[in-house]
């Protein structure tokens, strides 16, 4: 091997080591000076160790088994409600058409909320998680108003689907 090739490889190794030390230094400094939770590219660093007890959330009737039971009842109830809406005409039974609209919107809201809770948890994404949650709530309210207006001032959901189906 020539001496110039050995010198270049040694120089490249030294340069790479300097860049590695400089790029990792802020992470080490940030990890040592953690306030509550510092954010690093791999995710937040939380205070404590693996042996510390887990802080449990306060019990709430809107979460847990009551919430799960409501989701299952709503999902199971959509099947006969959908069949009943399309067997009868939405114009003759506007309450059935309204129940179908509200049930579909609530079912969709619960599903999208579960996606946000699972993938954009506020602890990991403090800003984006809250923004998306409030955007989902605002969208749900907007869609509820729109479906109400469509069911009361226009043909309704069931008649719309029947017309699109036969078109």
């Amino acid at each position: 091997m020539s001496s110039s090739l050995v010198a270049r490889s040694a120089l490249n190794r030294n340069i790479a080591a300097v860049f590695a030390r400089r790029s990792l230094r802020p992470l080490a400094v940030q990890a040592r000076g953690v306030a509550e939770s510092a954010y690093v590219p791999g995710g937040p660093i939380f205070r404590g160790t693996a042996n510390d007890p887990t802080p449990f959330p306060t019990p709430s009737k809107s979460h847990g088994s009551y919430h799960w039971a409501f989701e299952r009842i709503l999902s199971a109830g959509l099947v006969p409600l959908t069949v009943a809406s399309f067997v009868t005409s939405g114009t003759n039974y506007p309450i059935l058409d309204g129940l179908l609209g509200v049930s579909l919107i609530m079912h969709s809201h619960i599903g999208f909320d579960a996606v946000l809770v699972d993938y954009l948890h506020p602890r990991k994404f403090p800003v984006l998680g809250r923004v998306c949650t409030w955007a989902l709530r605002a969208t749900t309210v907007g869609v509820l108003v729109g479906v109400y207006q469509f069911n009361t001032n226009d043909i309704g959901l069931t008649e719309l689907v029947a017309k699109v189906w036969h078109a």
Side-chain angles (χ1 to χ4, degrees):
M1 219 193 266
S2 72
S3 61
S4 64
L5 185 62
V6 170
R8 276 188 285 171
S9 65
L11 180 67
N12 288 341
R13 255 185 273 132
N14 289 339
I15 291 173
V18 167
F19 280 124
R21 268 182 276 156
R22 284 186 183 167
S23 63
L24 294 177
R25 186 177 303 140
L27 297 178
V29 169
Q30 189 176 14
R32 272 188 245 124
V34 174
E36 176 119 354
S37 65
Y39 185 79
V40 295
I45 298 174
F46 296 105
R47 193 185 314 175
T49 65
N51 295 327
D52 291 342
T54 303
F56 289 102
T58 56
S60 171
K61 286 192 174 192
S62 65
H63 293 87
S65 63
Y66 296 110
H67 189 88
W68 185 86
F70 175 73
E71 289 176 5
R72 297 302 157 253
I73 290 170
L74 180 64
S75 298
L78 273 173
V79 175
L81 189 60
T82 305
V83 171
S85 294
F86 292 115
V87 168
T88 63
S89 173
T91 309
N92 296 334
Y93 302 99
I95 293 180
L96 191 62
D97 206 24
L99 278 174
L100 178 67
V102 170
S103 298
L104 284 173
I105 293 168
M106 290 308 297
H107 179 75
S108 300
H109 176 83
I110 290 170
F112 282 118
D113 187 50
V115 170
L116 291 178
V117 166
D118 288 345
Y119 296 107
L120 291 176
H121 197 275
R123 189 174 52 189
K124 180 134 180 161
F125 301 98
V127 175
L128 185 63
R130 288 189 180 101
V131 167
C132 289
T133 300
W134 280 104
L136 174 65
R137 291 173 182 164
T139 303
T140 301
V141 168
V143 172
L144 278 170
V145 169
V147 167
Y148 173 76
Q149 291 292 328
F150 190 72
N151 280 340
T152 55
N153 299 330
D154 210 340
I155 58 176
L157 290 177
T158 308
E159 291 293 323
L160 173 70
V161 172
K163 284 186 176 188
V164 169
W165 190 267
H166 292 289

